[in-house]
């Protein structure tokens, strides 16, 4: 049974994806999806054609709120994912090549290759509730400060 490693480079309007097979460590697929439900469905179709969700490891750089919809979509589709610090990916790329390229297709490939080399620690389920609570807490704090300033 083969494991699959999916690297996704997150952008505002699109995400570049690269899928590696652990069996031969070759690229299975490389494609771009839009940052919307249509694009996410395209990704899910590609993932479902590979294997069971348990055999697929997905990773992407933490990029503030641009990945939030994708994270929710993957969680509802029962796929685990791992958010990666962009600095780790940059250091990994520097350790594997002398070229100084900054292209999204190379980034998604680096993320997928990096996933092969580390212990997979998927994001916890229900993260959205924690994210919402954090946002509400910050909003409340801002409102209290505004109220105090106007009094």
């Amino acid at each position: 049974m083969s494991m699959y490693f999916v690297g996704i480079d997150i952008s505002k309007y699109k995400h570049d994806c690269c899928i590696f097979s652990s069996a031969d460590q070759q690229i299975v697929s490389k494609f771009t999806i839009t940052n919307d439900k249509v694009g996410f469905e395209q990704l899910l179709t590609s993932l479902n054609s590979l294997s069971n969700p348990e055999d697929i490891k997905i990773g992407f750089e933490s990029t503030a709120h641009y990945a939030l919809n994708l994270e929710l979509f993957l969680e509802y589709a029962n796929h685990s994912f791992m958010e990666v610090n962009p600095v780790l990916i940059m250091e990994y790329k520097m350790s594997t090549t002398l070229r100084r390229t900054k292209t999204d297709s190379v980034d998604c490939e680096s993320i997928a290759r990096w996933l092969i080399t580390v212990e997979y620690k998927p994001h916890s389920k229900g993260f959205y509730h924690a994210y919402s609570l954090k946002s509400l807490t910050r909003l409340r704090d801002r409102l209290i400060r505004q109220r105090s300033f106007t009094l």
Side-chain angles (χ1 to χ4, degrees):
M1 175 164 316
S2 185
M3 284 292 251
Y4 295 94
F5 299 89
V6 182
I8 304 175
D9 186 65
I10 304 290
S11 300
K12 187 173 184 176
Y13 300 112
K14 65 176 181 67
H15 306 318
D16 292 300
C17 308
C18 182
I19 302 173
F20 268 85
S21 167
S22 65
D24 52 8
Q25 295 197 359
Q26 294 295 313
I27 295 175
V28 174
S29 182
K30 215 171 191 182
F31 54 94
T32 299
I33 61 169
T34 53
N35 189 7
D36 57 18
K37 188 170 170 59
V38 173
F40 301 160
E41 292 287 349
Q42 179 188 349
L43 174 63
L44 189 60
T45 301
S46 296
L47 295 178
N48 289 340
S49 71
L50 297 172
S51 186
N52 297 326
E54 302 87 44
D55 299 329
I56 300 171
K57 297 181 178 183
I58 303 170
F60 44 84
E61 293 177 345
S62 41
T63 52
H65 61 280
Y66 292 134
L68 187 59
N69 288 335
L70 177 61
E71 292 172 359
L72 283 171
F73 184 86
L74 289 172
E75 184 173 305
Y76 288 133
N78 293 318
H79 280 278
S80 67
F81 58 88
M82 180 175 168
E83 276 191 296
V84 182
N85 185 331
V87 174
L88 294 175
I89 300 302
M90 184 180 69
E91 288 176 354
Y92 175 76
K93 275 198 302 191
M94 288 173 52
S95 72
T96 57
T97 182
L98 297 174
R99 293 188 185 134
R100 298 286 180 245
T101 56
K102 172 59 182 139
T103 61
D104 292 341
S105 62
V106 171
D107 286 348
C108 67
E109 192 175 317
S110 296
I111 295 167
R113 288 185 189 276
W114 182 83
L115 276 176
I116 295 171
T117 66
V118 297
E119 179 186 351
Y120 186 66
K121 296 178 183 172
H123 209 281
S124 60
K125 297 280 186 199
F127 73 92
Y128 183 71
H129 300 295
Y131 179 84
S132 296
L133 287 173
K134 192 187 298 185
S135 295
L136 285 171
T137 304
R138 289 178 180 153
L139 174 62
R140 180 184 179 275
D141 185 54
R142 257 193 326 269
L143 291 172
I144 289 173
R145 286 174 195 242
Q146 275 182 334
R147 183 194 67 187
S148 299
F149 184 72
T150 56
L151 291 178

